[in-house]
């Protein structure tokens, strides 16, 4: 269990750092042809997730108690990791012929505009749903 917590903590730290670096790099880029989550997602995820990751490692490495308390802090840190991962992966890029959707897990799907079968506008959420296929 200790090694699992250490490996998951290292992976989360990499995600937090990559998210913050991505948010810094995207600040000056053009938004033409791209739709993505704001950089605040990466910052909030990195800061809050890191705030829970520190006690995870301190409790795990300094006490001889059961690692379950560290695991609980790790779970809270994973919530911040989900925000950072969403900022890194949830994107839409588009051009004149098609658009590409990249989901939370990083899986890309490309669709042409003639594949759209329906559009549903939701004014209460100020967005639209596109139905394909």
């Amino acid at each position: 269990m200790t090694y699992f917590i250490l490996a998951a903590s290292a992976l989360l730290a990499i995600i937090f750092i990559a998210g913050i670096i991505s948010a810094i790099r995207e600040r000056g880029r053009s938004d033409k042809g791209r739709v993505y989550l704001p950089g605040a997602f990466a910052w909030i995820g990195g800061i809050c997730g890191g705030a829970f990751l520190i006690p995870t490692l301190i409790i795990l490495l300094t006490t001889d108690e059961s690692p379950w308390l560290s695991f609980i802090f790790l779970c809270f840190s994973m919530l911040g990791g989900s925000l950072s991962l969403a900022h890194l992966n949830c994107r839409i890029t588009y051009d004149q012929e098609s658009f590409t959707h990249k989901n939370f897990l990083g899986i890309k799907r490309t669709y042409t505009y003639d594949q759209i079968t329906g559009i549903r506008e939701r004014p209460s959420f100020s967005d639209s749903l596109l139905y394909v296929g």
Side-chain angles (χ1 to χ4, degrees):
M1 179 74 138
T2 302
Y3 293 116
F4 169 76
I5 293 174
L6 286 174
S9 298
L11 182 63
L12 281 172
I14 291 170
I15 290 172
F16 295 147
I17 292 167
I20 290 174
I21 290 172
S22 172
I24 291 170
R25 290 180 66 202
E26 287 178 351
R27 227 175 15 177
R29 290 178 68 183
S30 170
D31 291 344
K32 186 175 181 182
R34 300 175 347 130
V35 178
Y36 54 92
L37 293 173
F41 275 64
W43 284 101
I44 293 170
I47 291 170
C48 294
F52 282 108
L53 197 59
I54 292 169
T56 299
L57 296 175
I58 290 173
I59 292 169
L60 182 68
L61 299 175
T62 60
T63 63
D64 293 332
E65 294 181 23
S66 174
W68 287 107
L69 185 58
S70 291
F71 183 73
I72 292 170
F73 278 107
L74 180 68
C75 290
F76 284 121
S77 182
M78 285 182 186
L79 293 173
S82 66
L83 282 176
S84 293
L85 193 62
H87 175 264
L88 287 170
N89 285 339
C90 295
R91 299 172 183 271
I92 298 171
T93 56
Y94 59 92
D95 57 14
Q96 296 295 329
E97 293 83 31
S98 64
F99 63 95
T100 302
H101 170 261
K102 186 176 177 187
N103 68 8
F104 182 80
L105 299 175
I107 299 170
K108 288 184 180 181
R109 292 191 176 99
T110 301
Y111 303 102
T112 59
Y113 294 116
D114 60 355
Q115 291 177 313
I116 296 174
T117 59
I119 299 174
R120 180 175 150 207
E121 293 186 27
R122 302 187 309 176
S124 60
F125 296 106
S126 59
D127 68 348
S128 299
L129 298 174
L130 301 177
Y131 295 98
V132 179

